[in-house]
Amino acid sequence: MHRRAAISRITLILGGAISAPTLSALLSGCTAPSAEDFAPRFLSPGQFQLIGRLANLIIPDTDTPGARAAGVDRFIDELLAEYYPRSEAMKFHSMLSAFDAAFDLTNRSDEEFFESLINLDTAAYADDYTPPVAGSFNELSFHRQLKELVVSGYYTSEIGMKEELRMQPFGPARMDVPRSDVERAWSD
Amino acid sequence: MNIHTRQEFDAIVVGSGMSGGMAAKELCEKGLKTLVLDRGVAFEHGTSFVTEHKAAFELPRHGRVPLQEQKDDYRIQSDVYLFDEATKHLFVKDSEQPYIQEKPYAWIRANQVGGRSLMWARQTYRWSEMDFEANLRDGHGADWPIRYSDIEPWYDYVESFVGVSGQVEGLPQLPDGKFLEPMEMTAVEKHAKRSINASFPDRLMTIGRCAVLTEELNGRAPCHYCGECERGCSTRSFFSAVSVSLPAAAATGNMTLQANSIVHSIIYDAENDRARGVRVIDSLTQEMTEYYAKVIFMCASTLGTTQIMLNSKNSRFPDGIANSSGVLGHYLSDHHMGIDAKGFSDDFNDRYYVGSRPNGIYIPRFRNLNSATHRSDYVRGFAYQGSTWRLGPTRGGAQAGIGAALKDSLREPGPWEMQLWGFGETLPRYENHCRLSADETDQWGIPQLIVSADWGENEFAMRKDMAESAQEMMDSCGFRDIEVTDNLEFNRPGLAIHEMGTARMGRDPRTSVLNAFNQAHDVPNLFVTDGACMTSTAVQNPSITYMALTARAVDYAVKALHSGDI
């Protein structure tokens, strides 16, 4: 890409209005798919399960694997363990607990919660959405933060880049082709 | 300290990047036994390209550099647009190589042989007659001792070696070169080119001129459009010292290339009024060695070269070698940037692209070219680089939608976006300077550099016009959600990585360090051909001009050596 296009790429990827800490995160990809005995580095086993569950509601299995199969739960755990400073990771940790409690997630099925999540998502991206005061819990802002992580993690994972979407081939470029010449959006 | 002495060379080149690589090639091809020194680590074509073609999920640390590490070790380098886990190793650790910012200044430095030629943006634009005349015409800065006709054949010469793709346009302010086939524009770029020219007949959009091959050249393959040149190019399609000029120098059998070699100072021979050689500290062992040669080329980058010269003090030159004028270290200038525009289009959703083009578009300077384009509020001018693309899948994190519907919608490419980035000429000012600290040294005992530079009134007046002109061009394209921002705070001096001017060329030895052949007025066998030599900044990306001046200076130096003049 052109000089400075890397910045632009990041800006556009994140929609331009996202906190700086997430920026470099999206350069990252995902680790191998979760194994049963995987031990999270930062999250508690229960929270790790919960992240996987929420991630798969945002990006489910369809004709291609979803977020959990792509390792997005591990991706988020790794970011919290090694990318974010401890204070920010701890903040995420407590917000996840607050989110869990607010929606009583332990006692609700995925199907049941998905309906609530759709409403939450609509409100979180509505025109009148206002970010909360720094440090205070807000379910809309937490959902946005989590969704950004899930989406960036999924589409930089091997499954997201190669199975769900397509990686650009190496070879001569064709910079102005009909959309119909290309099967799906490029992942990179 | 125990000082070792080593054998005599014909020539020593300090630095192995854009200028040093070209100096090495030219000197070696002319038969001179040449020692090339670089303070960075060894770095070789192919084997050192450890992150080339790695997808995000294949990178050992998934592409990200932990925020705390960025803050602790790369506080300055991490502001560079391409700094990430795949490129981190190409940058110095700020924590290990300190300098002093008297005013905020980003000194971006490479960590390896080949220097910043690995990470450059490959944009390649000739300077024009009006650039070499600018200082004389408006009185800012010393008159250049050369004109376009002096450098034109050398542009031809180095471009034929480097390989530059571009479109012939016939513009007086941006001379055409020896171009390979131009890269293609996207549908939106073609639209923007037409729209802008229809509304503003004196403004032109052209495809970027870049040092990336679109055709085979000297056995180097055309670009395969992976889009990540800075990670290294095993097909040698983009020009870097590592892949192209240093191998050419090595092929002669005349080059000795030595990494981990920090030049402490230049040795001066007062009896013969010549530079005798250099003192080199091995960065790993701390041992100092002296090397000797008949001619010395300083190509250590603007600030690096200047630091060495300032540190080369003796009774004849108490303020640094070749500094009888007192201007060494002064007139430090970088292009000012940070006027950025963006806009979106939904009108070309039936068009797309295949390939990650390592190049964008360019809108050449259109102000202060003649009486019709004269501005009364500032002198000189600016240009824009830019590019277009369709938004990628991670836009999904910033818009409503979850579940299967979200996945589905992201299989389609997003809306088109176009961005423009202004680059403006900066006037050379004496007060913008670097100097050595009297009491702070680095881990090798070399005095730290103090850098003190900021923007002036002319730059601020120009920025207003840069923003307004970008806005009206984006408007003329009919884009939606247009935003023009001034990111001056982020774009402090140094971040354009086009620093120049601290050992400038000139006609008068009392006000300049170098003559018309980049030869020190005071020391006939000492040449400076990196950005330090530049008498003004123009608005073009400068690397090709450094290389042309380098080849020209080598030609002059070798003839002078043979005739016994130096």
Side-chain angles (χ1 to χ4, degrees):
Chain A
M1 281 219 142
H2 188 277
R3 172 187 169 96
R4 306 225 37 224
I7 289 177
S8 323
R9 218 174 180 184
I10 287 167
T11 311
L12 69 89
I13 282 169
L14 284 177
I18 288 150
S19 57
T22 334
L23 282 183
S24 303
L26 70 90
L27 291 164
S28 64
C30 292
T31 48
S34 310
E36 289 303 315
D37 59 351
F38 175 75
R41 293 181 59 193
F42 180 82
L43 296 167
S44 69
Q47 284 191 319
F48 183 74
Q49 284 294 331
L50 181 58
I51 283 288
R53 203 180 144 200
L54 292 171
N56 235 50
L57 287 172
I58 293 168
I59 301 196
D61 300 317
T62 54
D63 59 337
T64 63
R68 194 161 28 204
V72 170
D73 45 3
R74 288 190 180 195
F75 167 79
I76 292 173
D77 181 60
E78 276 188 28
L79 288 194
L80 294 168
E82 65 178 79
Y83 171 71
Y84 289 110
R86 181 95 188 149
S87 60
E88 282 190 56
M90 290 307 292
K91 220 180 290 172
F92 184 92
H93 185 281
S94 62
M95 300 238 176
L96 179 60
S97 299
F99 192 83
D100 186 6
F103 288 95
D104 192 23
L105 293 174
T106 349
N107 298 312
R108 296 172 76 188
S109 70
D110 281 355
E111 291 70 27
E112 213 181 324
F113 179 60
F114 188 68
E115 293 310 313
S116 314
L117 197 59
I118 288 180
N119 294 333
L120 191 68
D121 184 71
T122 307
Y125 293 91
D127 288 344
D128 59 356
Y129 167 78
T130 43
V133 186
S136 66
F137 173 70
N138 171 304
E139 59 206 37
L140 298 184
S141 101
F142 180 76
H143 169 68
R144 285 176 66 124
Q145 195 184 349
L146 179 63
K147 186 168 139 184
E148 286 156 13
L149 288 173
V150 170
V151 169
S152 67
Y154 182 73
Y155 289 101
T156 51
S157 74
E158 186 163 12
I159 283 172
M161 292 184 79
K162 289 164 84 171
E163 291 187 45
E164 172 60 20
L165 298 181
R166 300 289 176 263
M167 293 179 71
Q168 301 222 46
F170 295 164
R174 293 184 295 140
M175 295 308 293
D176 184 12
V177 299
R179 162 68 189 89
S180 53
D181 277 14
V182 171
E183 187 192 356
R184 291 182 191 173
W186 302 123
S187 54
D188 52 344
Chain B
M1 190 184 279
N2 199 3
I3 298 178
H4 306 269
T5 58
R6 290 281 169 84
Q7 78 266 35
E8 185 95 23
F9 290 86
D10 293 327
I12 291 173
V13 178
V14 182
S16 65
M18 202 62 84
S19 306
M22 189 60 69
K25 170 198 175 273
E26 292 298 305
L27 288 162
C28 289
E29 287 183 349
K30 290 177 191 297
L32 276 68
K33 294 290 178 195
T34 304
L35 174 66
V36 180
L37 299 165
D38 199 289
R39 64 181 289 142
V41 299
F43 198 87
E44 287 181 0
H45 174 81
T47 52
S48 295
F49 301 160
V50 291
T51 57
E52 185 186 16
H53 297 161
K54 291 237 187 287
F57 54 84
E58 291 176 300
L59 291 168
R61 305 202 50 196
H62 309 284
R64 65 188 175 280
V65 181
L67 293 171
Q68 197 62 44
E69 183 185 350
Q70 292 189 38
K71 206 173 152 195
D72 292 345
D73 286 339
Y74 298 99
R75 185 178 284 271
I76 295 147
Q77 311 302 311
S78 60
D79 276 348
V80 176
Y81 65 103
L82 51 67
F83 179 90
D84 64 25
E85 186 64 20
T87 58
K88 183 185 77 171
H89 60 292
L90 303 174
F91 295 89
V92 299
K93 281 189 180 172
D94 296 307
S95 52
E96 293 175 353
Q97 311 217 15
Y99 66 100
I100 297 159
Q101 300 179 60
E102 193 164 76
K103 294 173 182 171
Y105 188 93
W107 185 6
I108 305 306
R109 289 171 286 174
N111 192 44
Q112 68 284 324
V113 164
R116 294 178 298 186
S117 78
L118 250 310
M119 306 99 96
W120 73 310
R122 308 164 296 280
Q123 294 293 296
T124 303
Y125 301 101
R126 291 188 179 200
W127 288 29
S128 73
E129 185 67 5
M130 80 182 62
D131 296 313
F132 290 106
E133 286 178 350
N135 287 4
L136 182 64
R137 281 175 182 273
D138 62 29
H140 296 279
D143 185 21
W144 275 90
I146 58 171
R147 289 295 181 262
Y148 183 69
S149 58
D150 296 308
I151 197 173
E152 184 177 19
W154 296 98
Y155 276 134
D156 290 348
Y157 177 75
V158 294
E159 284 171 2
S160 303
F161 175 71
V162 166
V164 181
S165 71
Q167 176 70 50
V168 169
E169 298 284 7
L171 302 173
Q173 73 272 34
L174 194 74
D176 296 318
K178 300 273 184 197
F179 296 144
L180 308 174
E181 280 296 304
M183 289 183 184
E184 197 185 0
M185 286 186 175
T186 65
V188 170
E189 288 160 358
K190 291 172 186 172
H191 159 75
K193 177 184 166 77
R194 283 191 302 270
S195 306
I196 290 169
N197 197 243
S199 299
F200 308 97
D202 61 352
R203 302 184 196 178
L204 177 89
M205 178 187 287
T206 189
I207 189 71
R209 297 172 177 177
C210 71
V212 180
L213 303 186
T214 50
E215 308 166 38
E216 188 178 318
L217 180 73
N218 303 327
R220 295 161 54 203
C223 179
H224 54 276
Y225 296 88
C226 74
E228 284 157 340
C229 303
E230 61 279 353
R231 297 187 187 183
C233 184
S234 50
T235 61
R236 304 181 201 265
S237 308
F238 102 87
F239 177 87
S240 71
V242 168
S243 294
V244 189
S245 54
L246 291 172
T252 63
N254 289 327
M255 178 172 72
T256 304
L257 174 60
Q258 198 171 294
N260 303 315
S261 297
I262 299 175
V263 174
H264 169 280
S265 53
I266 298 163
I267 304 161
Y268 179 67
D269 169 6
E271 210 165 294
N272 296 300
D273 196 26
R274 295 288 187 275
R276 179 71 185 95
V278 293
R279 298 180 190 91
V280 176
I281 299 171
D282 184 311
S283 64
L284 306 176
T285 65
Q286 307 271 351
E287 286 195 351
M288 187 181 270
T289 306
E290 293 189 348
Y291 296 93
Y292 308 116
K294 297 176 187 126
V295 61
I296 294 173
F297 270 73
M298 296 300 295
C299 302
S301 85
T302 295
L303 292 175
T305 286
T306 307
Q307 184 175 23
I308 294 166
M309 291 175 70
L310 287 169
N311 199 36
S312 306
K313 295 175 184 175
N314 50 63
S315 52
R316 160 90 166 90
F317 298 112
D319 302 318
I321 195 164
N323 191 22
S324 66
S325 65
V327 301
L328 181 65
H330 292 274
Y331 302 101
L332 172 62
S333 315
D334 186 21
H335 290 141
H336 61 103
M337 59 176 201
I339 300 283
D340 300 333
K342 65 176 177 182
F344 299 87
S345 173
D346 302 311
D347 295 339
F348 298 88
N349 288 346
D350 59 339
R351 309 301 297 177
Y352 205 18
Y353 43 79
V354 180
S356 191
R357 189 184 62 193
N359 186 26
I361 55 88
Y362 192 71
I363 301 175
R365 174 177 163 183
F366 50 83
R367 297 297 201 206
N368 288 325
L369 304 176
N370 48 40
S371 55
T373 57
H374 174 74
R375 299 283 302 196
S376 54
D377 47 346
Y378 62 87
V379 298
R380 316 285 170 106
F382 54 87
Y384 301 92
Q385 298 179 41
S387 200
T388 61
W389 50 77
R390 296 191 71 163
L391 299 197
T394 39
R395 72 186 185 279
Q399 65 193 33
I402 56 170
L406 173 65
K407 277 178 86 175
D408 231 30
S409 73
L410 296 176
R411 283 188 180 180
E412 191 59 25
W416 283 92
E417 179 175 7
M418 175 158 164
Q419 292 200 3
L420 293 178
W421 315 298
F423 283 79
E425 178 161 2
T426 298
L427 292 181
R429 289 189 292 137
Y430 181 83
E431 59 270 31
N432 286 340
H433 75 283
C434 61
R435 64 182 191 277
L436 296 183
S437 168
D439 36 48
E440 299 284 335
T441 56
D442 65 16
Q443 58 176 303
W444 299 282
I446 296 172
Q448 285 187 29
L449 201 61
I450 300 170
V451 186
S452 183
D454 58 17
W455 311 120
E457 282 174 23
N458 196 66
E459 286 86 70
F460 286 111
M462 187 189 295
R463 293 177 77 81
K464 281 187 193 154
D465 187 23
M466 285 165 85
E468 288 166 15
S469 299
Q471 177 79 48
E472 64 194 13
M473 285 191 287
M474 297 296 273
D475 286 340
S476 78
C477 297
F479 294 144
R480 64 171 166 84
D481 298 318
I482 295 168
E483 264 181 58
V484 179
T485 49
D486 184 343
N487 301 317
L488 186 62
E489 207 167 319
F490 180 72
N491 290 296
R492 56 200 189 276
L495 268 184
I497 326 180
H498 294 163
E499 66 272 19
M500 305 180 222
T502 46
R504 69 184 184 184
M505 296 166 73
R507 298 173 191 275
D508 186 346
R510 292 169 304 179
T511 59
S512 61
V513 178
L514 308 170
N515 70 14
F517 290 97
N518 298 71
Q519 180 183 31
H521 291 299
D522 296 337
V523 183
N525 67 336
L526 178 63
F527 292 78
V528 178
T529 68
D530 58 25
C533 77
M534 304 295 277
T535 313
S536 66
T537 71
V539 69
Q540 295 89 323
N541 308 52
S543 291
I544 195 72
T545 300
Y546 302 167
M547 288 192 272
L549 288 172
T550 299
R552 181 172 176 269
V554 169
D555 181 68
Y556 172 85
V558 173
K559 282 175 182 156
L561 265 181
H562 289 155
S563 66
D565 289 344
I566 64 173

